[in-house]
Amino acid sequence: MRANGTFSVKAFVPTELKPEPAVTTGLPVGVATMEKHFEGEIAGRSATLFTAAYDQQSGVGTYVAMESFEGSLHGRSGAFNFVHSATTSGSDRTAEFFTIVPSSGTGDLAGISGTGGLGVDADGTHRIRLDYELG
């Protein structure tokens, strides 16, 4: 099944967590927590652990995010984890990865598996797509 939705970032909180041992590279690595709210066929909220090597001035970098979602897909309630990452050179998104974590589903979403994707429209609307199966 395919579920589509939009989301907004309600909180983005950088942490003091630093990789050990410290290694200096061309892009700094940072860690943050995020809270997102979802609407549409995907409705609910998520807590995210977000890691990135990113230059805010040029918009170049890569991120990896682990999200714990709770809410509903097509009216089925529960929770599950998903992971996603992407690289940007400032004006594009490449090397995208998105998967639902196996065995992470609860409630009506127990047994969920699948993939998905994220995107941002020209007007700034954040979109999510899940292609999933319940088994």
Side-chain angles (χ1 to χ4, degrees), residues 23-99:
V23 175
T24 302
T25 63
L27 291 176
V29 174
V31 178
T33 60
M34 298 173 71
E35 178 184 350
K36 295 180 183 174
H37 290 194
F38 298 83
E39 296 179 346
E41 296 169 331
I42 304 165
R45 66 183 184 157
S46 72
T48 306
L49 295 175
F50 184 86
T51 303
Y54 187 73
D55 177 18
Q56 290 191 346
Q57 288 183 340
S58 67
V60 173
T62 298
Y63 80 89
V64 177
M66 176 66 72
E67 297 204 31
S68 299
F69 170 85
E70 67 178 358
S72 64
L73 299 180
H74 293 119
R76 295 175 182 240
S77 296
F80 60 91
N81 298 317
F82 60 95
V83 63
H84 53 97
S85 65
T87 295
T88 179
S89 64
S91 61
D92 63 348
R93 269 177 75 92
T94 61
E96 294 182 81
F97 176 80
F98 190 115
T99 194

Side-chain angles (χ1 to χ4, degrees), residues 53 75 128:
I128 183 170

